[in-house]
Amino acid sequence: MSNEAVFETIEEVNKHISHVEESTCVKYISYRVDKRFNDQGWKPQDHKNRLYWEWKYGKGTPCIPFDGVPFVFIGHKLMGCHRGRAKCGIKKRQELEDQRAKDGKEKRNLLLKTKKVACPAVFTISRIVKFPGFKLEKDTSRLRRVMSISIKQALQTDPASVPWKIQYFLKIPSVTDHKGHPIGKGADQVDDRVKGYIRALVQQGVRKVKEVKNQMVQYVRTELFRDTTPPPLRRFFPTEKTIHAVMAQVIAEEHYSKIDLVNLLTLAENWKAEAPRINFLLRVQSESENLLLCYQTDWQRRLLRQYGKEVCFLDAAYKRTRFPLPLFFLCVRTNVSVAPVGLFVVQSRSAEAVGEALGVFRQWNRGWSPAYILTEHCPVEMKAVEAAFTGAQAVFSDHLRERTWTKWLSNRSRAITNQEGIFDMMKAIAGALTREQHQGAVERLQQSPIWLEKRQLFKNWFTNKWLSEEKRWANAVRVDIVNFVSVVNGGLEMQSDFFTHNNMKVHKKDTLSQMLQFVVDDYFPPMHQRYIDLNSQSSGEYSLNPTAPPFLWHRPWGVVALVMDNMSAALQDSDIVVEQASDAANGTFRVKSGAESTAGQSGRSYTVSFGSEATWPSCECEVWRDQRLPCEHFCHVFRSEPNWTWEHLCPKYRDHPLLTLHSHTTTEEEIEEALNGLMHLSPASPVSLQWDGPEETVPLVQTPQTPQLQLHSIQTQWVAPQASQGPREREELQREELQRECVAKLKSIMENVSGINNIDHLQELRQKLDVLQAQSETMLDQKDAGVKTVPTPKGKRKRAGVEIIVAMPKRIKVLSQIDVENVQK
């Protein structure tokens, strides 16, 4: 017997239908809908309807019992089982096939001509409106007639005074109403005999899905149903997607065979011999435990500590390489590339398995707890990330997001037109810098033809899957640090180069041990060497470029090139006006173009913000959106506002590791040895730097009790070359700027000596001293070749009467009292 239910809103009705579909694993489709059923603006006075007091006569419609309240039918909706009658007949299906042939499309070769089995189960919904103000206290035929007349007169004379409410009555089919097909969980699971036949074909070496499909169909028709017609069920005729899943499971089991287990154990013994340089964990599969393999080298640990404190990447490499076992890379954005900092292999693609592996890396790297991890749109990975790290948020990688969009739009079965235009509108939503721009981009997409089309395929997909998760991928609502790491210094291009994994694709048929051997020996080392080479190249060719302002020294070459281009553009554009905003004290300016547009109006203006301790710098231009580097408008502020320079940008941005070159020759043993050399520096007598004299001479003042190096702190700013200056004047100006930069940096370094509390801090200090050493040598190289060098005591050189720092000791013993005596400016 069918069940019945009553609801007040259509949302409650749809929710209940979804619950029934989930519990029975049966979908219901719309057969017929009355015109006024979905009319949300319906009013009782607009239509002449018959009044009812009860309803129990309609065939297939829900019964409405008598409760003394009159009601009117608004409309009905009939929904049937998706295996019921076909909505289009044989003639219409033939017309569709003829149209496909006319359009030049291939004729579809379907295993099942139709899934319909004429199931009689139907879902009936009646929408009514009740008038509770005219309830009968006693039920008689006369009182019914009198009350009906009263309702009609009230609706004609004063409809606003008539109270009414809408209700939905549902008639829900029972399980026994379904005929000709199974229902419930596992109804469409592949029959064990069919699955066993597919496994046998794969083990024999068959790897093409279509070939497996054809042999499977022959097997079902000639072996399982030799004397009868096979039923049109997915149990016996699974889709190609299901066949591929069964094949992948068999191949995965082959990759993790007993023979390969021996090779895995051999690899583990080799890694064990290299410990502690290598961290690894191998847990073989057993009845109670699943496979888990984690691997990380010492250089990967260093990169993770240096670049992965806040943002990391989780790369499901097996998806791009089509490797049958779940192989993941843990990655970070370095200053010159995307680098892997660990790998792990799990037995199953579950959130629990991935989260367990991430927990192993958390134990290996104490104190490592990133706030954001970039993944693709995968619920399993998102759940694993947010469960493994307290307070962490899974956000979407921009490259993988765009890759997913392109793949969805280009699917031929969806027949999406104007794919480029739609993709551009989606990118505009993702790249909007402000919430206003973001909302405007969303509204433009919602007004486009693809959004308003009748089938609503794109609308439902983009609304449910992407707009509901916009905080994970839209720049306007995503945190600044994630946007910065994603795009700065060509971040999207770096992600594209890394995530393709072209070199790994040729090994997709290897066993697990063979794949790991390739990754560890031939895939990871070149990436590490490339990282070192690019930093070394930038340090040698671009780090101390005399044509660049000092704040661009010791930066990755990509950063220097982009900022220099923006500075050149700023020099060429002279019709620019920089105005201080109302909160100029916080570093906010308006950069306006003095030239007029073709319409006679003034050019566009941009708001430039230097940020603060808590907020990142920003600009409203597209260059900043795509680069996250000082754009042309920042350069205009640098020129016109001497008190606002690079040094005034947000410290989190200005000192970020992605904007700095790094030396990688120092080992942990050297750092520990240097730290031991600093033990005699007492916190009670820190090295302090002060200078009140003229800028031309900076003497070294030292007392026997406390060594004090007294220098003058000068902010460095970019000064555009003047056309009237000669080569010698410009050279002198650059030397003076460099000298002031060295003084300011040395002061900052020495002030931090007393705050050293761990090896990471000491290594960072060491890198700053290396920069200062290189800048000092450049000052010497910029002197005229004809100036004679005057020999000075060890640790100093003197040219033209100017003493500068020329030789920082190789270790950080320069910070000791003895070396302070040898440091002169």
Side-chain angles (χ1 to χ4, degrees), residues 1 118 146 191 222 258 334 444 468 471 571 601 614 633 711 774:
M1 184 176 179
V146 171
D191 187 84
T222 59
K258 292 184 179 179
T334 71
R444 285 191 293 273
S468 61
K471 66 178 181 179
L571 289 174
Q601 299 177 352
H633 309 101
L711 303 175

Side-chain angles (χ1 to χ4, degrees), residues 442-475:
V442 172
E443 292 176 356
R444 285 191 293 273
L445 178 64
Q446 293 175 344
Q447 296 171 1
S448 63
I450 186 67
W451 193 275
L452 301 176
E453 66 179 8
K454 186 176 181 180
R455 60 176 180 168
Q456 296 186 347
L457 179 65
F458 174 83
K459 176 182 178 181
N460 294 335
W461 170 73
F462 195 72
T463 300
N464 300 331
K465 189 171 184 177
W466 296 102
L467 286 183
S468 61
E469 298 284 356
E470 63 180 7
K471 66 178 181 179
R472 302 183 189 270
W473 57 271
N475 287 350

Side-chain angles (χ1 to χ4, degrees), residues 294-307:
C294 302
Y295 177 91
Q296 188 180 47
T297 64
D298 56 347
W299 64 265
Q300 289 177 326
R301 290 195 299 271
R302 289 197 299 269
L303 291 184
L304 181 61
R305 287 198 303 266
Q306 190 165 14
Y307 296 102

Side-chain angles (χ1 to χ4, degrees), residues 335-377:
N335 56 347
V336 291
S337 63
V338 176
V341 293
L343 73 83
F344 63 89
V345 181
V346 292
Q347 182 71 27
S348 62
R349 302 173 179 87
S350 64
E352 292 75 16
V354 177
E356 182 184 9
L358 292 174
V360 172
F361 286 93
R362 188 178 65 246
Q363 294 177 0
W364 287 350
N365 304 270
R366 296 189 180 279
W368 174 61
S369 181
Y372 306 96
I373 295 185
L374 282 80
T375 69
E376 56 186 310
H377 197 307

Side-chain angles (χ1 to χ4, degrees), residues 33-47:
V33 182
D34 291 346
K35 182 178 180 180
R36 291 180 294 176
F37 181 85
N38 293 321
D39 185 7
Q40 300 300 323
W42 183 89
K43 296 179 181 180
Q45 65 268 23
D46 296 338
H47 306 278

Side-chain angles (χ1 to χ4, degrees), residues 271 278 293-297 299-300 303 315 317 327-331 338-344 361 498 501 503-504 515-532:
W271 293 340
I278 293 176
L293 187 147
C294 302
Y295 177 91
Q296 188 180 47
T297 64
W299 64 265
Q300 289 177 326
L303 291 184
D315 173 27
L327 170 64
F328 290 84
F329 289 156
L330 191 63
C331 315
V338 176
V341 293
L343 73 83
F344 63 89
F361 286 93
F498 179 83
H501 300 302
N503 295 338
M504 291 180 59
M515 173 62 84
L516 292 175
Q517 190 77 51
F518 165 75
V519 171
V520 171
D521 295 342
D522 301 324
Y523 197 61
F524 281 175
M527 291 186 178
H528 183 217
Q529 189 61 43
R530 181 171 180 266
Y531 165 75
I532 296 175

